[in-house]
Amino acid sequence: MATLNSVKRDAAIKHLQSEADFATAICKSLKDGQIITTNIYAELKSRVQQLWTLSLPPQIIRPIDFDHIGTSIWNHATNLIRATGSSDGVVQDGQDSVARSCVLLRAYAYLLLDLATETVSSDSQHLRLFKIGLKTARYCLAHGSPEIAMHLLEKCSIYATRFEDAQPAVNFADDGASDRRNEVNDLATELWLLRMLHSCKVMRPDLAEHFFAKVSASLSTSATLSYMAAEICYDASRSITKHGRSRDGSRWLERAFSLLDSDCIADLDRDTEDLRISVAVALVGVLLEDSDADSINRARQATDSLSSKYRLGDRLTVLRMHLTIALKQGDEDAIHHILHRAVSVTLLTDITFDIILRLIYGARKAHVQACLSSLDQLIQNRLLPDLTTAMETDELHTWLEKAAVTYTSVCTATAFTSVGEPVAMLTGLFDAIVHATQSPVSAKATHTIQTLIWNASSKSTGEDTKSWLQLLRHPLFDSAGVVNKARIGRKAINTALDCHDLDSARAAYFQMPETARDESATRYLAFKLALSMNDRQMARDCLDILMKQSSKDPKYLYACVLEAQTSNNRAMAVAAFQRLIVQPPQGVHLPALLRCTARLHIGELDQPNTPPDKVMHELLRVFDIAADNVKSFRQPGDDQYRAEMQWWSKNTYNLALRLCSEVHPEYVVRLARICARFLSGLPKDDGKVHQDDILDRRRICHFLAATALTVLGRSYDDGTEQSLQYYTEIRKEVQAYTARELAKPENQSDPSTSARTLELYKFDLEAILKLQQWDTLKSALERCLQLDNIDRWDTLVDIVLIIHERASALKAPSSSTTDIPALLSKIINEVWRQDREVTKLARWIRVTFRIISTGGEDDGGLSLKLVDQAIRMAKTRQNRQTGRERYPEEELQWLATTTFNRAVDLLAQDERKEAEGWVNGALELARYADDGGLLHKHLTRNRDEAMKRLGMRGGA
């Protein structure tokens, strides 16, 4: 047993030494101003948890003065709290928040003091530790550490029990025993109050009610305890309300309010007043959430109590509560009285001034007149008088501008019976400010107020808009920038023109700064005014300035042209066009004017619900003029010529691509041909890549033209003059496309180019068919045979077959169609290589076979090659398990039988060697028939019989 006690004693000494070392290190670190890092924080937390349950053998000597070191740590933590204002810091670079660190530091300091006090029997030391424990527990509860607070409160409960014991271990001296006992009782009461707060923090309202019941009777005797209880009840309500239990929170608020309303606490300091107001604010807020009559009446009673009993009615926070209740009840008289009271009695600071403005602005929907009159009172009675005295400061000017902005915001957002009413009110206010200050408001305030008035003017029309715009030009806003003055002046001109008030429009124009008058937007409005007033000189001046500025911003020049077009003043419209196109002003050449006009029309194409065909006629007329005047593009120099040609070619090309499916095909043809003209005129010194791009675009232009011409040609009956004319034009586009200067090497051909070439060749074949130009058919077919890198060969079959049928019916020269079988054979091979539909291929093989057979000539054994191709197809597709389509049975049997009959005919002509290939082809093809070998057996028997008759069996 002695050995066991010795081991425990050694372990306790070792533990105490460890705590002493750690405490000394913490104290030194705090003294040096170091912040608690994350690692130290974790170590500190671990040691606090261990010390809660530490049990030491009696008579253990402390290695250091734990009382001194604990007191030092406590004081350092207190200084840290005061330095940081008791606010949580942000965790950065491994550092923990200040408040959370101080929670552990104070708890650790308390535990060190507790270690020092365990060997001391002094009642004063125990009482001191009791106080420190309660203070630490309250700090922990305030900063989100209810677990540590609970441990501290349990420790404090031990002291409370010790002092309340009938035979206490600590005997009080006779002197001051009563005061000491009262002090202990107060500490015990504080203990139960903190237990109550802890119960609320951990959402145990039943325990909270129990602890409050233990101390409620003793609170009325002490103002300090009553204040403390009220403060703790207020904290308890906040904790409960955070968990969504506002009704339970209101009960604690009522208790706090009742405690503060007791007689013993009436004459405490300013902190009590602040707490009383805070509790009232929270209570009124909770009560008004219910919106029932009883809750509103109770809220009114609470606020009235502050005003009548405690003379706090003029405090701004109390007035705000009165206003909230009045707004809830819709009491306009009360709203008016409260707002004017707040304006009259409040000492103005930055904070109170902003609060007053928010109060007034918040009441605008309930009682706008009270809101406006209060703002007027604030400006006229509180702010402007001080501007004429020595009290004038920058702060005062800032307040005045804020109030003026708020007044303007309310006026412009309120629906009055007429616009004249708010305009008159604002004019009177602005006049008063200018009279008092003798200067305009700042640029920032000017911008804000003018924006509000500008927005209001945007919601009105006619004369009302003119009134708002007149207000925008008040002397109060002389600090406005030239840009804003220009915008206001232009809107004034525009509004006057809409109202047909030409004199006002002219006056507004000449009131603008000179630099603003020469802006393009202003000159455009002046041009409109000149058209309305038939002032030709003014119109010419505007056009001269706009032409000079057209390189930077041409849209207003276009607008003037459009305005001249739509104007009822025909003479002015004609003069504008003559000046713009026939006689351009000095410094501006025809291409620029044409560009401006073209841009105008292109802009019309971008407008919604605008039929493009309506615009295309005029736009193409401009393009035609430009194309006919290309020589004039060279006058400024090569660089300008290149830029002009690039602009015209780019825009015509983009429009052709964009509108090819939207406008009439006639316009597409004209646009594509004009584009080709511009492209052909581009300089050829920009490198090979650039030239290749130009050639590609020229080919695409010819392709688009041919496509549109094909649509036009198909829209008329065959043989009509219009149809034949369009097909003739198609052939011209094909010839241009295939010209040597546009030729593209085969190795540079891409799939898209090849696809366009194929389509164009199909159009050419269609044109040859419609025009019956059989003498050119052979060369067209040869071009098709030379095509490569084509994906849709199958699209060429129908037109080729139709041409063969029509040529045969019209008895066209046989030499023109000799390449049709070869072309069909190539199509079949290319389509089969792409693994297309075998049924379609089989049909094409049959048709081609018949064409060759009926033609009487077999160029190079093409028929037999078709049979070989069919054999390969049938062999490839013979396996059903692949899931792929087999060679059609009817087609296979027809081709095998026809091939065999061809062999029989050759045998009959004694062409035995040639017949052998046909016989073998027929038998090989029959091998893949889906008839169980019947066709192959039948043809073999027939072959044997034919050989026997001819005496050739042995050779076979």
Side-chain angles (χ1 to χ4, degrees):
M1 180 64 69
T3 302
L4 181 59
N5 290 336
S6 177
V7 171
K8 289 183 178 180
R9 186 179 184 87
D10 292 342
I13 292 172
K14 185 177 180 180
H15 186 85
L16 286 176
Q17 186 60 51
S18 174
E19 291 297 339
D21 295 340
F22 181 75
T24 302
I26 285 288
C27 188
K28 184 178 184 304
S29 182
L30 292 171
K31 186 176 180 181
D32 294 340
Q34 299 179 12
I35 300 176
I36 302 299
T37 63
T38 303
N39 293 334
I40 296 178
Y41 178 87
E43 178 68 17
L44 189 61
K45 185 175 181 180
S46 174
R47 288 183 177 275
V48 168
Q49 291 174 349
Q50 292 175 11
L51 287 174
W52 291 129
T53 57
L54 179 63
S55 177
L56 296 175
Q59 304 302 321
I60 292 292
I61 298 174
R62 275 42 174 177
I64 61 171
D65 186 356
F66 281 115
D67 185 275
H68 174 73
I69 202 74
T71 303
S72 296
I73 293 175
W74 173 275
N75 292 337
H76 284 304
T78 302
N79 293 335
L80 189 59
I81 292 170
R82 291 172 180 170
T84 57
S86 300
S87 61
D88 280 349
V90 180
V91 179
Q92 293 179 347
D93 300 328
Q95 299 173 357
D96 210 338
S97 66
V98 174
R100 291 177 57 203
S101 298
C102 290
V103 165
L104 286 180
L105 286 172
R106 281 193 161 185
Y108 188 62
Y110 170 81
L111 291 170
L112 293 178
L113 293 172
D114 186 53
L115 280 177
T117 312
E118 283 186 358
T119 59
V120 177
S121 59
S122 171
D123 53 353
S124 60
Q125 287 294 330
H126 288 185
L127 197 60
R128 169 178 170 246
L129 202 58
F130 195 180
K131 293 178 182 179
I132 294 174
L134 292 175
K135 191 169 185 179
T136 306
R138 187 162 187 181
Y139 185 80
C140 292
L141 289 172
H143 292 86
S145 297
E147 299 87 358
I148 296 177
M150 189 61 203
H151 286 297
L152 290 165
L153 292 174
E154 288 174 353
K155 287 277 190 178
C156 292
S157 297
I158 296 173
Y159 293 114
T161 303
R162 179 179 301 171
F163 285 123
E164 291 175 1
D165 200 317
Q167 293 180 349
V170 178
N171 295 315
F172 294 111
D174 293 336
D175 295 337
S178 177
D179 294 339
R180 181 66 60 84
R181 185 164 285 106
N182 290 336
E183 184 179 6
V184 169
N185 290 336
D186 289 348
L187 291 175
T189 301
E190 183 179 355
L191 169 64
W192 303 128
L193 288 173
L194 291 177
R195 289 291 300 273
M196 177 193 76
L197 178 59
H198 176 271
S199 300
C200 293
K201 294 281 187 182
V202 298
M203 291 308 296
R204 288 294 307 273
D206 52 336
L207 287 178
E209 293 289 344
H210 168 71
F211 290 126
F212 183 75
K214 288 176 68 70
V215 298
S216 58
S218 61
L219 296 177
S220 58
T221 59
S222 171
T224 304
L225 286 178
S226 295
Y227 176 82
M228 180 186 301
E231 194 174 21
I232 291 177
C233 287
Y234 176 61
D235 290 340
S237 72
R238 294 172 61 189
S239 299
I240 292 175
T241 305
K242 285 180 182 178
H243 290 84
R245 302 176 64 171
S246 57
R247 186 173 296 277
D248 292 339
S250 66
R251 184 166 62 252
W252 289 102
L253 287 172
E254 289 283 8
R255 286 171 177 170
F257 195 83
S258 177
L259 288 167
L260 292 170
D261 206 29
S262 61
D263 294 335
C264 67
I265 206 172
D267 297 326
L268 289 181
D269 56 8
R270 180 62 180 265
D271 290 341
T272 305
E273 292 182 357
D274 293 341
L275 178 61
R276 185 177 281 120
I277 292 174
S278 298
V279 171
V281 169
L283 179 60
V284 169
V286 172
L287 290 171
L288 293 183
E289 287 179 0
D290 296 335
S291 298
D292 59 89
D294 292 340
S295 297
I296 294 175
N297 288 333
R298 175 66 187 110
R300 180 181 286 277
Q301 290 174 6
T303 52
D304 289 344
S305 172
L306 294 177
S307 300
S308 59
K309 186 174 182 179
Y310 301 106
R311 299 182 298 280
L312 299 175
D314 290 339
R315 295 278 288 271
L316 193 54
T317 306
V318 178
L319 288 171
R320 183 164 55 183
M321 285 190 288
H322 280 298
L323 180 62
T324 304
I325 297 170
L327 290 172
K328 201 77 173 179
Q329 294 181 323
D331 189 343
E332 293 187 356
D333 292 337
I335 293 171
H336 185 275
H337 171 74
I338 293 166
L339 290 179
H340 281 271
R341 186 67 179 171
V343 170
S344 301
V345 304
T346 303
L347 177 65
L348 294 182
T349 64
D350 281 337
I351 295 176
T352 59
F353 183 81
D354 288 341
I355 293 174
I356 289 174
L357 284 188
R358 285 198 296 270
L359 290 179
I360 295 173
Y361 191 76
R364 69 192 185 284
K365 294 183 180 179
H367 195 349
V368 67
Q369 293 300 332
C371 177
L372 290 172
S373 63
S374 300
L375 285 169
D376 187 73
Q377 178 190 1
L378 177 63
I379 295 171
Q380 303 272 17
N381 299 342
R382 295 296 305 273
L383 301 179
L384 291 182
D386 291 340
L387 290 173
T388 60
T389 67
M391 295 179 62
E392 181 177 355
T393 60
D394 292 339
E395 183 181 62
L396 196 58
H397 281 281
T398 301
W399 294 348
L400 177 62
E401 291 176 354
K402 285 184 177 180
V405 168
T406 306
Y407 191 94
T408 306
S409 175
V410 175
C411 272
T412 54
T414 303
F416 290 91
T417 55
S418 67
V419 171
E421 188 176 353
V423 170
M425 295 169 63
L426 287 168
T427 302
L429 179 66
F430 296 164
D431 288 343
I433 295 175
V434 170
H435 177 73
T437 60
Q438 297 296 313
S439 63
V441 293
S442 66
K444 182 178 180 181
T446 296
H447 178 75
T448 305
I449 296 174
Q450 285 189 326
T451 300
L452 293 169
I453 299 174
W454 178 276
N455 292 338
S457 70
S458 300
K459 300 175 184 176
S460 58
T461 57
E463 295 296 330
D464 292 341
T465 304
K466 287 175 62 179
S467 299
W468 285 117
L469 294 172
Q470 183 63 36
L471 184 62
L472 281 171
R473 288 173 282 175
H474 194 279
L476 185 67
F477 309 128
D478 283 348
S479 61
V482 175
V483 174
N484 282 346
K485 288 181 178 179
R487 290 183 63 198
I488 295 168
R490 284 193 290 268
K491 188 167 184 179
I493 297 172
N494 213 9
T495 304
L497 288 174
D498 292 341
C499 296
H500 305 290
D501 188 354
L502 301 183
D503 292 336
S504 296
R506 189 179 183 90
Y509 172 72
F510 285 105
Q511 287 174 5
M512 296 174 65
E514 185 175 355
T515 55
R517 288 203 301 269
D518 287 339
E519 291 179 4
S520 298
T522 308
R523 283 292 177 177
Y524 160 67
L525 293 176
F527 182 78
K528 287 180 64 177
L529 177 62
L531 289 178
S532 301
M533 300 181 69
N534 198 21
D535 189 340
R536 296 190 178 185
Q537 185 58 46
M538 186 177 180
R540 291 190 188 99
D541 294 342
C542 292
L543 288 174
D544 288 341
I545 293 176
L546 287 172
M547 287 300 296
K548 293 176 182 179
Q549 298 175 351
S550 63
S551 60
K552 296 181 180 178
D553 190 4
K555 65 181 179 182
Y556 292 105
L557 182 59
Y558 313 152
C560 286
V561 175
L562 183 61
E563 201 67 42
Q565 284 180 292
T566 58
S567 172
N568 293 326
N569 191 331
R570 183 177 180 83
M572 185 61 68
V574 171
F577 274 112
Q578 288 176 345
R579 194 166 186 82
L580 290 175
I581 298 177
V582 180
Q583 295 178 351
Q586 184 178 2
V588 179
H589 62 303
L590 181 61
L593 294 179
L594 294 173
R595 246 188 302 115
C596 293
T597 309
R599 282 175 175 164
L600 171 63
H601 291 306
I602 293 172
E604 288 180 332
L605 291 172
D606 296 329
Q607 297 300 316
N609 303 322
T610 301
D613 283 346
K614 289 186 177 181
V615 184
M616 286 302 297
H617 178 74
E618 292 297 325
L619 179 59
L620 286 171
R621 187 171 71 89
V622 175
F623 286 150
D624 283 331
I625 295 173
D628 293 338
N629 290 273
V630 168
K631 292 182 179 179
S632 65
F633 292 3
R634 292 186 179 274
Q635 293 176 1
D638 292 339
D639 291 339
Q640 181 64 31
Y641 170 75
R642 178 180 287 102
E644 287 287 348
M645 295 301 294
Q646 286 176 348
W647 189 92
W648 289 100
S649 61
K650 181 183 71 173
N651 281 276
T652 51
Y653 180 80
N654 291 339
L655 283 173
L657 293 179
R658 168 186 164 189
L659 301 175
C660 61
S661 61
E662 298 179 16
V663 300
H664 194 275
E666 283 279 4
Y667 293 136
V668 178
V669 175
R670 290 179 60 189
L671 192 58
R673 286 177 170 175
I674 291 172
C675 179
R677 290 176 65 185
F678 285 123
L679 288 169
S680 62
L682 280 168
K684 300 179 180 180
D685 56 352
D686 287 338
K688 186 176 183 306
V689 175
H690 180 70
Q691 286 303 310
D692 289 343
D693 182 65
I694 293 175
L695 294 178
D696 282 337
R697 293 189 175 204
R698 289 177 64 183
R699 279 190 289 267
I700 291 174
C701 288
H702 292 303
F703 171 76
L704 289 175
T707 303
L709 287 167
T710 303
V711 174
L712 292 169
R714 291 172 180 173
S715 64
Y716 292 92
D717 294 333
D718 289 349
T720 60
E721 182 179 353
Q722 296 93 334
S723 176
L724 294 177
Q725 181 62 36
Y726 286 127
Y727 281 111
T728 301
E729 294 298 319
I730 291 172
R731 300 225 63 202
K732 292 180 181 179
E733 294 298 331
V734 174
Q735 290 174 6
Y737 185 92
T738 56
R740 178 171 298 180
E741 64 174 325
L742 297 182
K744 191 171 186 177
E746 286 296 324
N747 58 356
Q748 297 181 10
S749 180
D750 57 277
S752 60
T753 301
S754 300
R756 284 194 295 269
T757 303
L758 175 64
E759 290 296 321
L760 205 65
Y761 286 178
K762 286 161 56 180
F763 296 155
D764 192 34
L765 290 173
E766 182 178 348
I768 291 173
L769 173 65
K770 299 296 184 181
L771 297 171
Q772 298 183 18
Q773 295 179 349
W774 307 116
D775 55 331
T776 60
L777 178 60
K778 184 174 180 62
S779 61
L781 293 173
E782 288 175 352
R783 282 201 303 263
C784 293
L785 282 167
Q786 294 171 5
L787 285 174
D788 199 6
N789 196 22
I790 299 297
D791 182 55
R792 296 305 307 272
W793 279 100
D794 51 337
T795 61
L796 190 59
V797 173
D798 291 337
I799 186 64
V800 172
L801 294 177
I802 292 172
I803 286 175
H804 181 270
E805 179 183 356
R806 293 289 296 162
S808 300
L810 296 173
K811 300 185 182 304
S814 59
S815 60
S816 62
T817 59
T818 54
D819 289 322
I820 288 180
L823 180 58
L824 289 173
S825 178
K826 181 174 183 177
I827 292 172
I828 293 169
N829 290 332
E830 293 293 335
V831 174
W832 172 248
R833 186 180 296 117
Q834 297 165 5
D835 199 21
R836 297 293 173 87
E837 184 180 357
V838 70
T839 302
K840 187 187 299 183
L841 292 170
R843 180 173 63 85
W844 294 347
I845 290 174
R846 172 170 50 82
V847 172
T848 307
F849 197 93
R850 280 180 173 174
I851 290 174
I852 297 172
S853 299
T854 57
E857 293 182 7
D858 192 357
D859 186 8
L862 187 57
S863 299
L864 202 55
K865 291 181 181 177
L866 289 172
V867 174
D868 292 336
Q869 179 66 54
I871 292 171
R872 288 193 297 273
M873 292 181 185
K875 182 179 180 180
T876 304
R877 298 293 181 92
Q878 67 175 333
N879 190 354
R880 291 181 180 273
Q881 294 180 355
T882 61
R884 302 168 74 185
E885 185 182 15
R886 290 173 57 88
Y887 198 101
E889 185 65 17
E890 292 181 5
E891 298 287 354
L892 189 145
Q893 294 201 13
W894 179 90
L895 186 58
T897 304
T898 304
T899 302
F900 190 85
N901 293 338
R902 174 67 172 159
V904 171
D905 292 338
L906 291 172
L907 288 174
Q909 297 172 13
D910 201 26
E911 295 179 4
R912 300 178 182 182
K913 187 175 182 179
E914 185 177 356
E916 184 178 358
W918 289 90
V919 170
N920 293 336
L923 291 176
E924 183 66 15
L925 196 60
R927 184 187 304 276
Y928 303 107
D930 191 16
D931 59 355
L934 292 177
L935 179 60
H936 186 271
K937 183 177 180 181
H938 173 71
L939 293 179
T940 302
R941 185 172 60 250
N942 289 345
R943 181 201 65 179
D944 294 340
E945 185 176 347
M947 293 296 185
K948 182 178 180 182
R949 289 178 181 177
L950 296 173
M952 296 179 62
R953 178 181 298 275

